[in-house]
Amino acid sequence: MTKKACYTADAIQVLEGLEAVRKRPSMYIGNTDIGGLHHLVFEVVDNSVDEAMAGFCTEITVTLHKDGSVSVLDNGRGIPVDVHKGTGKPALEVVLTTLHAGGKFESGAYTISGGLHGVGISVVNALSEWLEVEVKTQGRVWHQRYERGKPVTPLCAGEETEETGTYVRFRPDPLIFPQTEFHFDILAERLKELAFLNPGLTLKLFDERSGKQKTYASTSGIRELVAHLNQGKGVLHPEPISFSGTRDGIRAEVALQYNDGYLEMVLSFANNIKTAEGGTHVTGFRAALTRVITEYMERHGLLKEKDEPPTGNDVREGLCAVIHVLVPAPQFEGQTKTRLGNPEVRSFLEDLTGTFLSAFFEENPSVARAIVEKVLESIRARVAAKKARELARKKDSLEAVSLPGKLADCTEKNPKVAEIFIVEGDSAGGSAKQGRDRRFQAVLPLRGKILNVEKASLHRILSSDEIRNIIAALGCGIGEDLVIEKLRYHKVIIMTDADVDGAHIRTLLLTFFYRYMRPLLEGGYIYIALPPLYRVRVDKNDYYAFDDRELERILENFRNKKYTIQRYKGLGEMNPEQLWYTTMNPATRTIKRVTIEDALEAETIFSILMGDAVEPRREFIQEHALEVVNLDI
């Protein structure tokens, strides 16, 4: 029998300094994929925003450099460089090499800040291949360089200057991150949010790799953000409603505006950090909104005896709101700070919202009546759609749910390896059914274009046969009833013709997924199939081109040979073998995963393209016309 290894004190490993961060990076930044990579930049930017919130910074510049590094420059006070009494080292070095070291644990340096964990910039340093910092303070420019969290040069005083500020440049460590390329759009979204949340602060983004640049600044703050989110929608009242207040050191700002759509969009922030999962500030606001509107309806006799009282969902249909709270001691759930947990914030928001809106509705009866009429319509639609909602919830077991007759299902029951093609038309659907691998590939043909959900109520949406077929086939429900664990396929592939009609159908489907099944997009389950535009036949061999440039490259290789070119007008022109090889075979196909890198921009684009307002759509098309490729007219 083999002796068991002894478990003694020698087996206990103590990680010193930033070694723990490099050993378990996900504990500090959530993950090491794209989200964690960009979290590094956000940590540095948040430090600069804290300076702005304290009144010492007016401009922040983020630059993506050609060597794969990124830099953040601000004109704040500059990180202190004098000797830290407790360690005998420069304060700058302490901040960059020590977890939980910063000016945010006591009330003197920062009253409100986003990076309250105090691990931000030290974690960035630990997870960088190299980091260089330049601080302008005490009349000089100070420099220091770090590699994988350790200083490789002493802090050096350089030229004299009257300016102040901090410049941090770093390159993510490829030993930590599988992918180290920063995405312009992800950073742009965050800087845009910060500009709305901090009126008077200018944020600039430059990309040396592509030449792209953006500048964000706001004068009216979250009121302007609500108007931006409602662009292209029919609003029920011309100006956003906004209010703010302070209690026990907590400050809250709220802006809201109703539109004639059927969806709720509430963005919430705490100390400039997006709380994607909401929290006590959102709960307090929603509770007060429902109570105030219900009381208004009862007080003015707007609820008939036969009418059901409004639910929270009724009250929030068509609501667009932004909530931002500044909390001296926030309690965030998790290191990534996605939910606020302070109980005192809920009572404050409930009182603030209730007091202001009660008075506002009485003083502005036309606005109140427009909102109440919207709520009454929602109540009636909810009652009418009760049976359809029960279909969408799918609370029964998957086996008890009848699948659509047009669905050609796969035999594989493990959703992780199963995929479904949502195909345009019966002709293409027939080829796809014949050409697929029945073991793991399902096919659902659509009859024409699905309903534009941007302009429809949930009752009408759930009355659409095509949409009900999609819901039934995927099996996970929609809206608030969506249960991602019930999704029957982990690859949902939209496969349409490469023409204008195909693009329109893709947009309609993506609008539906974005509005009612967004977790599928956020989880990376939605894909776009890329069928070829051309087939080139040379000596009985076929070569496929996905765009005009690829066609040119193929033809250059066969200049001296006889060839024929076929331009595909639709998927139905391919026989099952061709469709399998070019578009469905995992070994030879090209598919693109659909992600939401810029939720604010996506919200605006869907509203503009699929909404009723004509002028914003015309302006969008004129602005982006030159970006279109493969336009089939």
Side-chain angles (χ1 to χ4, degrees):
M1 180 179 292
T2 304
K3 292 183 178 180
K4 293 183 179 180
C6 293
Y7 183 54
T8 66
D10 295 335
I12 304 299
Q13 182 182 13
V14 178
L15 300 177
E16 298 181 355
L18 299 179
E19 293 178 25
V21 180
R22 293 184 59 82
K23 190 77 172 177
R24 298 285 186 269
S26 296
M27 291 179 60
Y28 299 88
I29 59 171
N31 55 60
T32 56
D33 62 13
I34 291 297
L37 176 70
H38 291 80
H39 190 78
L40 299 182
V41 186
F42 301 153
E43 286 285 0
V44 182
V45 171
D46 285 345
N47 286 343
S48 298
V49 173
D50 289 340
E51 279 288 283
M53 293 172 66
F56 299 103
C57 174
T58 59
E59 187 171 298
I60 301 170
T61 302
V62 179
T63 304
L64 299 172
H65 300 282
K66 293 181 179 179
D67 64 356
S69 66
V70 61
S71 63
V72 179
L73 170 68
D74 69 50
N75 63 347
R77 291 170 291 183
I79 300 174
V81 295
D82 47 319
V83 175
H84 183 260
K85 295 179 180 179
T87 63
K89 298 179 180 179
L92 174 65
E93 186 172 323
V94 174
V95 168
L96 281 162
T97 59
T98 308
L99 290 174
H100 308 291
K104 303 172 184 178
F105 299 103
E106 300 297 335
S107 59
Y110 296 98
T111 304
I112 302 290
S113 68
L116 280 173
H117 290 269
V119 301
I121 199 166
S122 60
V123 167
V124 175
N125 190 23
L127 301 179
S128 296
E129 181 180 0
W130 55 262
L131 180 146
E132 293 179 344
V133 59
E134 179 180 283
V135 179
K136 295 178 180 178
T137 185
Q138 297 182 4
R140 288 192 174 275
V141 182
W142 304 79
H143 305 265
Q144 193 168 23
R145 179 181 171 92
Y146 297 78
E147 293 179 2
R148 294 190 166 93
K150 298 179 180 179
V152 293
T153 67
L155 178 62
C156 300
E159 61 273 23
E160 295 183 355
T161 182
E162 295 182 0
E163 298 177 352
T164 60
T166 300
Y167 175 82
V168 177
R169 180 171 177 176
F170 66 92
R171 187 161 66 193
D173 192 344
L175 299 179
I176 301 293
F177 298 95
Q179 183 177 342
T180 59
E181 182 180 355
F182 291 106
H183 291 204
F184 183 92
D185 291 338
I186 295 178
L187 298 175
E189 177 190 8
R190 177 61 179 151
L191 298 188
K192 183 191 297 184
E193 289 175 352
L194 289 170
F196 285 125
L197 296 173
N198 298 272
L201 175 63
T202 300
L203 297 108
K204 299 179 180 180
L205 176 61
F206 295 97
D207 191 341
E208 293 180 349
R209 307 165 304 180
S210 64
K212 294 171 66 175
Q213 54 182 306
K214 292 279 188 179
T215 299
Y216 300 107
S218 173
T219 55
S220 55
I222 60 174
R223 279 177 57 91
E224 191 175 344
L225 176 53
V226 168
H228 174 77
L229 293 172
N230 268 338
Q231 183 181 359
K233 300 176 183 177
V235 295
L236 301 188
H237 44 102
E239 295 295 328
I241 303 167
S242 63
F243 53 93
S244 61
T246 304
R247 186 168 80 184
D248 297 332
I250 302 172
R251 177 171 174 78
E253 299 175 282
V254 179
L256 64 104
Q257 185 181 40
Y258 277 84
N259 58 64
D260 58 8
Y262 301 95
L263 298 163
E264 169 196 6
M265 184 169 190
V266 175
L267 297 183
S268 63
F269 303 85
N271 295 8
N272 285 300
I273 304 298
K274 180 188 284 186
T275 46
E277 297 181 19
T280 51
H281 50 334
V282 177
T283 303
F285 165 76
R286 285 174 168 168
L289 181 67
T290 302
R291 175 175 54 80
V292 168
I293 290 180
T294 302
E295 290 175 352
Y296 184 91
M297 295 169 72
E298 293 173 344
R299 190 162 56 250
H300 292 272
L302 300 174
L303 269 179
K304 304 293 189 293
E305 288 186 8
K306 63 179 180 178
D307 290 332
E308 290 191 13
T311 65
N313 287 335
D314 296 327
V315 166
R316 298 193 301 272
E317 185 178 280
L319 170 68
C320 179
V322 177
I323 305 164
H324 187 202
V325 294
L326 302 175
V327 186
Q331 299 169 14
F332 290 111
E333 296 183 4
Q335 168 63 23
T336 52
K337 311 167 188 174
T338 57
R339 182 177 179 85
L340 185 68
N342 297 63
E344 70 275 14
V345 174
R346 172 174 178 165
S347 60
F348 171 43
L349 260 294
E350 195 164 348
D351 293 345
L352 176 67
T353 302
T355 301
F356 176 85
L357 287 183
S358 293
F360 180 87
F361 285 162
E362 294 299 333
E363 295 168 4
N364 298 270
S366 61
V367 175
R369 288 299 179 100
I371 295 173
V372 166
E373 279 299 319
K374 175 70 173 173
V375 175
L376 288 171
E377 288 177 9
S378 177
I379 295 172
R380 290 190 285 267
R382 170 171 56 85
V383 173
K386 191 172 184 179
K387 292 183 179 180
R389 277 182 173 274
E390 291 173 356
L391 169 68
R393 288 191 182 104
K394 291 182 172 59
K395 290 183 177 178
D396 298 328
S397 65
L398 289 176
E399 290 73 21
V401 177
S402 60
L403 295 175
K406 284 195 170 186
L407 173 67
D409 207 359
C410 57
T411 57
E412 178 61 63
K413 299 304 180 186
N414 181 359
K416 292 183 179 179
V417 296
E419 54 189 44
I420 183 172
F421 287 85
I422 300 178
V423 186
E424 168 194 357
D426 290 334
S427 176
S431 291
K433 288 178 181 180
Q434 294 179 55
R436 68 188 174 120
D437 188 326
R438 289 171 170 78
R439 294 173 299 171
F440 66 95
Q441 292 181 325
V443 175
L444 178 65
L446 296 179
R447 182 183 299 171
K449 298 173 182 176
I450 72 164
L451 180 70
N452 179 4
V453 301
E454 193 74 18
K455 304 177 182 179
S457 66
L458 183 61
H459 171 57
R460 187 180 170 206
I461 290 168
L462 294 176
S463 299
S464 164
D465 290 339
E466 299 303 312
I467 289 181
R468 284 209 312 269
N469 285 342
I470 294 172
I471 296 170
L474 299 185
C476 58
I478 66 170
E480 294 184 356
D481 301 317
L482 190 147
V483 180
I484 199 69
E485 290 76 16
K486 291 185 177 182
L487 180 64
R488 302 180 66 240
Y489 316 91
H490 280 195
K491 278 192 174 70
V492 180
I493 305 171
I494 300 172
M495 187 164 69
T496 62
D497 293 343
D499 60 8
V500 172
D501 283 341
H504 190 195
I505 291 172
R506 282 198 304 273
T507 304
L508 289 168
L509 285 167
L510 289 174
T511 303
F512 169 67
F513 288 132
Y514 181 81
R515 293 301 188 196
Y516 289 97
M517 304 183 86
R518 192 179 300 191
L520 271 63
L521 287 166
E522 294 171 339
Y525 297 110
I526 306 295
Y527 295 79
I528 300 292
L530 298 179
L533 277 176
Y534 302 98
R535 183 188 69 166
V536 181
R537 171 155 287 190
V538 184
D539 296 334
K540 297 183 179 180
N541 294 317
D542 290 335
Y543 302 87
Y544 296 94
F546 293 87
D547 54 36
D548 291 333
R549 291 181 181 178
E550 191 169 3
L551 175 63
E552 292 176 5
R553 288 196 294 268
I554 292 174
L555 296 180
E556 286 177 0
N557 294 329
F558 301 108
R559 287 180 180 177
N560 299 323
K561 293 189 177 183
K562 187 177 181 180
Y563 57 80
T564 59
I565 302 175
Q566 178 185 3
R567 193 199 194 287
Y568 291 116
K569 286 292 185 180
L571 297 171
E573 294 185 12
M574 297 186 198
N575 62 43
E577 292 76 16
Q578 291 171 339
L579 188 59
W580 162 254
Y581 176 79
T582 63
T583 316
M584 302 182 73
N585 183 353
T588 55
R589 72 189 180 190
T590 300
I591 60 175
K592 286 189 175 180
R593 175 180 281 166
V594 182
T595 60
I596 306 179
E597 291 187 348
D598 187 344
L600 289 180
E601 199 64 28
E603 176 72 26
T604 303
I605 289 173
F606 279 122
S607 298
I608 290 174
L609 293 182
M610 308 308 293
D612 288 323
V614 175
E615 190 57 33
R617 180 158 54 247
R618 180 186 296 115
E619 293 174 358
F620 180 89
I621 292 172
Q622 290 174 345
E623 180 180 351
H624 297 279
L626 296 179
E627 302 171 14
V628 176
V629 294
N630 296 331
L631 177 62
D632 187 338
I633 53 175

